[in-house]
Amino acid sequence: MDKRLERILPRVQKPARYVGGEYNAVMKDRAAVDTRFAFCFPDTYEIGMSNLGYRILYGVLNEMPGVWCERVFAPWTDMEEELREHQIPLYALESGDPVGAFDIIAFSIGYEMAYTAMLNMLDLSGIPIRSEDRPGLTPLVIAGGTAMYNAEPVADFIDLALIGEGEELLPEVVELYRRAKREDWDKPRFLRAAAQIQGVYVPSLYEVTYQPDGTIQSITPLDGAPEKVYKRVVHDMDKSYYPAKTIVPSTEIVHDRVTLEVFRGCIRGCRFCQAGYVYRPVRCRGKNQLVQYGEEAIRDSGYQEMTLSSLSTSDYPELVELCDDLAPFCGQNHVNLSLPSLRADNFSMELMQRLQKGRKAGLTFAPEAGTQRLRDAINKNVTEEDLTETLKTAFSGGWNAVKLYFMLGLPTETDEDVLGIAEMAKHAVHTWREHASNKNRGLRITVSTSWFVPKPFTAFQWEGQISREEYERRVKLLRGAMTAKAVTYNWHDGDTSFLEAVLARGDRRLGRVLEEAFRRGAKLDAWSDCFNLNRWMEAFQVCGLDPEFYACRQRGKEEVLPWSMISCYVSSSYLWKQRELAYQSMPTPDCRTQCSGCGASIVEGGECYRG
């Protein structure tokens, strides 16, 4: 370790974030590798190490002979100050080598509020933040993750974006880079070749022109780049990599447990949910393989908690059988089995009995809207009767703590829908009084609301976000209606949701704003401790752009959207149809019940639901 770091670490919070050396971290001989890969997560160690996708790709890359993938996380503000004061560049945890010494610098970006952290990490590494200021092949700066379905706000800073799932795509890009390095290609030649790989988007190979009103006039591919970049999909989950032998952190992280991914995709089609559309089609992992992976991961790591993970875990077809098969091992090894992402319409007595074998943590459900009309409009497909039956089951089974999540500002929402949230909370309290088997512990109902953010590749990608004033009015209306003592109401800060809406649907002109905000001190914007909307508003003013043009404006059906060159296989015509059905409060059946023709079936060559 650098002697300067030894002096710095006692002065910062959680120094274990910055030292590496964890059990199962991959160490390789520098002389035996030809490609160094800095895998950067633009958030703190505790967040990054809780990300299963990050762990998967770390393992995939390190299985490649000649490639060494190392981890890099965003330092907290105290550590950044020390690094800058002592002129120590950002470094990778495995080797301690500066990020600027690596061949490929890759960012995993699942959330738009991480953009300035990415710029800050490049700057801390001594690397020019703009792609045009990095003319050589090395270092190559790439980015992947859900946020890259609209990479335009960071188009000026990255060399290429990876669209879709990375287990097969990322190694192909790395192998192309190795060939380019061996054969002494220049950067333009490499980028032209990379653009031919399915799932690779090269921003510099697309020319964007604008109308006088600020909307996009055209997006033109250059130098043989494809008109549409189609996402990459892992077809067979049983053959996909799972990190059974994974890094065990030396300090506490957010999700400190073994995570089993039971399937990808979602059968539901909630009209607001980006992940539900871009991860189509549904692909399940086999029950027996999940049991094997779970047992291997627990034995290797020593964890005492295992969670079954997906976008909607209770939709896994063999969930009860999987819990039964895991139960003996979990019981013998004192491992708690937990299931997040439960749905109110299929939480059964069978499932509750399996969960009772572990400790009774609070149950979480997301009705999303306070009335049936609005739930039908967003295609939530959960009724009040579903929620009532679920709460009866939970309360009679001994649970006394329930969290309910909702959104404010959904398209077509009225005050009646807002007040319906309070009514649902009151009904939950009444259900507990009628059916609780354990009233000695009291009841805790936590209602949380967030401000709806319209996202690309959803049925609501054309919608405008409601104004800040209107959002605050609805929060106040709901707060006044929350009268039950057992109910706690939490609401999401509006500033970050507003900026998230700007960045989620922004075009590449926002690159100037991102850089200006970063120069003014923006970084770690996902953290309320660091976020300051005023500096962003000043950056917009300096750059002559109106953030409400991006966040609040409703788009027309024929408008060219900034992400129009990207395809997740779900067709734009299907999304528009779903939008029209939303305004009629007409639900669409889930994929298990009926194929609705979204377009994702082309990935599987036919009807795509597996289960």
Side-chain angles (χ1 to χ4, degrees):
M1 180 183 291
D2 189 314
K3 293 295 183 184
R4 294 174 296 175
L5 280 176
E6 291 183 4
R7 293 192 294 270
I8 287 171
L9 290 175
R11 299 200 292 266
V12 303
Q13 300 176 48
K14 302 182 181 180
R17 292 165 163 168
Y18 310 112
V19 297
E22 306 99 320
Y23 179 69
N24 281 340
V26 176
M27 300 300 296
K28 294 190 178 184
D29 180 0
R30 291 178 182 83
V33 299
D34 57 61
T35 302
R36 302 284 300 277
F37 191 102
F39 199 6
C40 302
F41 197 93
D43 210 321
T44 61
Y45 178 92
E46 300 96 300
I47 304 296
M49 286 301 297
S50 299
N51 186 287
L52 179 60
Y54 188 77
R55 289 175 179 263
I56 289 172
L57 294 178
Y58 177 85
V60 166
L61 289 167
N62 277 315
E63 286 198 342
M64 297 176 66
V67 176
W68 187 9
C69 174
E70 303 183 50
R71 295 162 299 139
V72 186
F73 300 99
W76 191 246
T77 53
D78 56 351
M79 183 62 170
E80 181 190 342
E81 290 173 6
E82 297 286 353
L83 292 176
R84 291 191 184 278
E85 181 180 342
H86 294 86
Q87 298 183 335
I88 302 173
L90 191 62
Y91 56 90
L93 291 185
E94 279 75 5
S95 66
D97 292 341
V99 173
F102 284 69
D103 298 290
I104 301 174
I105 301 166
F107 289 88
S108 176
I109 308 179
Y111 181 38
E112 294 84 358
M113 301 304 290
Y115 288 158
T116 50
M118 178 185 77
L119 300 188
N120 196 42
M121 291 175 76
L122 288 172
D123 188 65
L124 276 169
S125 304
I127 297 168
I129 65 171
R130 286 185 162 267
S131 176
E132 64 185 13
D133 296 328
R134 303 187 302 267
L137 179 64
T138 303
L140 184 73
V141 177
I142 68 178
T146 309
M148 291 300 96
Y149 277 94
N150 178 23
E152 294 306 278
V154 294
D156 293 338
F157 312 112
I158 61 174
D159 297 315
L160 56 87
L162 305 184
I163 312 300
E165 297 162 5
E167 291 98 316
E168 298 166 359
L169 172 57
L170 189 52
E172 287 183 25
V173 172
V174 171
E175 287 295 355
L176 181 67
Y177 171 85
R178 296 171 83 182
R179 177 187 172 192
K181 192 176 174 184
R182 287 193 307 269
E183 299 179 5
D184 198 27
W185 293 5
D186 61 13
K187 184 176 178 179
R189 181 181 176 185
F190 168 79
L191 293 178
R192 288 193 299 270
Q196 303 308 312
I197 298 175
Q198 182 181 340
V200 173
Y201 169 58
V202 180
S204 61
L205 296 183
Y206 292 81
E207 181 181 45
V208 182
T209 61
Y210 299 90
Q211 305 272 16
D213 64 0
T215 59
I216 294 175
Q217 181 176 35
S218 65
I219 301 174
T220 306
L222 309 172
D223 293 335
E227 289 191 12
K228 283 279 187 185
V229 176
Y230 290 89
K231 73 173 182 181
R232 284 294 286 271
V233 176
V234 173
H235 292 265
D236 190 343
M237 287 296 292
D238 286 336
K239 294 179 181 177
S240 67
Y241 179 87
Y242 176 77
K245 188 178 179 66
T246 191
I247 295 173
V248 180
S250 301
T251 186
E252 186 178 1
I253 61 175
V254 175
H255 299 307
D256 219 0
R257 61 203 181 200
V258 165
T259 301
L260 281 180
E261 184 186 23
V262 296
F263 67 86
R264 282 189 197 163
C266 183
I267 64 172
R268 297 291 176 167
C270 297
R271 290 171 179 142
F272 58 84
C273 181
Q274 185 185 48
Y277 286 114
V278 301
Y279 282 105
R280 291 188 176 196
V282 170
R283 290 142 293 145
C284 294
R285 201 170 234 138
K287 174 177 66 70
N288 294 338
Q289 189 180 67
L290 286 168
V291 173
Q292 176 189 334
Y293 283 152
E295 293 181 0
E296 287 179 9
I298 290 291
R299 288 194 185 98
D300 186 74
S301 66
Y303 277 123
Q304 290 188 299
E305 182 169 359
M306 183 190 305
T307 186
L308 306 182
S309 176
S310 74
L311 291 175
S312 181
T313 304
S314 51
D315 283 327
Y316 182 66
E318 298 180 281
L319 183 59
V320 170
E321 294 84 355
L322 175 60
C323 291
D324 286 343
D325 287 357
L326 286 168
F329 175 84
C330 290
Q332 293 164 13
N333 293 275
H334 309 290
V335 173
N336 181 58
L337 185 63
S338 61
L339 284 76
S341 305
L342 296 173
R343 283 185 59 91
D345 60 344
N346 59 10
F347 182 80
S348 63
M349 183 65 72
E350 278 188 310
L351 190 53
M352 184 196 71
Q353 290 169 349
R354 271 73 180 174
L355 289 175
Q356 279 183 324
K357 295 176 183 178
R359 54 182 167 83
K360 285 190 179 70
L363 293 173
T364 300
F365 300 98
E368 306 294 2
T371 64
Q372 192 59 48
R373 185 205 64 79
L374 187 54
R375 284 192 295 276
D376 287 342
I378 64 176
N379 205 41
K380 186 63 183 177
N381 284 327
V382 170
T383 66
E384 190 161 336
E385 291 74 21
D386 292 330
L387 184 61
T388 299
E389 288 303 312
T390 289
L391 293 176
K392 283 182 184 178
T393 300
F395 294 149
S396 63
W399 267 272
N400 291 67
V402 174
K403 295 180 180 179
L404 301 174
Y405 284 97
F406 300 86
M407 280 186 281
L408 294 178
L410 287 161
T412 80
E413 183 181 70
T414 66
D415 284 359
E416 180 182 352
D417 300 312
V418 174
L419 294 172
I421 296 173
E423 289 301 314
M424 290 186 75
K426 291 177 186 176
H427 185 68
V429 173
H430 176 74
T431 303
W432 179 81
R433 288 173 180 156
E434 292 288 316
H435 298 279
S437 62
N438 179 10
K439 295 185 179 180
N440 295 328
R441 292 168 54 200
L443 172 67
R444 286 183 291 119
I445 301 288
T446 303
V447 173
S448 297
T449 60
S450 60
W451 186 3
F452 166 68
V453 175
K455 293 275 187 169
F457 297 103
T458 69
F460 296 147
Q461 65 180 353
W462 293 275
E463 300 299 319
Q465 188 181 53
I466 62 173
S467 70
R468 176 195 310 279
E469 294 75 21
E470 178 59 20
Y471 169 68
E472 291 172 351
R473 187 192 70 81
R474 296 185 195 188
V475 168
K476 185 177 180 181
L477 176 67
L478 180 55
R479 192 171 67 226
M482 291 287 191
T483 56
K485 291 183 179 179
V487 178
T488 300
Y489 175 42
N490 301 318
W491 59 95
H492 192 265
D493 167 57
D495 288 352
T496 53
S497 294
F498 172 68
L499 185 60
E500 182 185 349
V502 174
L503 297 175
R505 297 191 299 170
D507 53 50
R508 58 180 60 186
R509 291 173 296 187
L510 288 185
R512 307 198 310 272
V513 179
L514 273 171
E515 183 171 359
E516 181 67 24
F518 160 66
R519 300 297 181 196
R520 290 172 177 266
K523 57 193 171 186
L524 292 176
D525 283 314
W527 293 80
S528 58
D529 313 53
C530 302
F531 180 71
N532 184 331
L533 184 62
N534 288 335
R535 69 163 63 101
W536 279 93
M537 299 306 285
E538 291 167 0
F540 277 105
Q541 188 172 9
V542 167
C543 297
L545 290 172
D546 178 7
E548 293 192 358
F549 174 83
Y550 297 100
C552 304
R553 182 177 60 86
Q554 183 167 308
R555 280 73 168 157
K557 181 180 180 181
E558 303 305 322
E559 180 171 333
V560 179
L561 302 172
W563 51 92
S564 295
M565 78 295 284
I566 306 297
S567 173
C568 69
Y569 288 108
V570 177
S571 69
S572 181
S573 59
Y574 174 81
L575 293 175
W576 184 265
K577 180 182 177 183
Q578 289 297 309
R579 177 184 182 274
E580 291 178 326
L581 290 174
Y583 278 88
Q584 301 167 36
S585 295
M586 292 281 292
T588 297
D590 64 57
C591 300
R592 179 174 49 200
T593 303
Q594 176 185 319
C595 178
S596 57
C598 71
S601 61
I602 193 173
V603 176
E604 302 294 342
E607 197 164 302
C608 56
Y609 176 70
R610 291 182 178 182

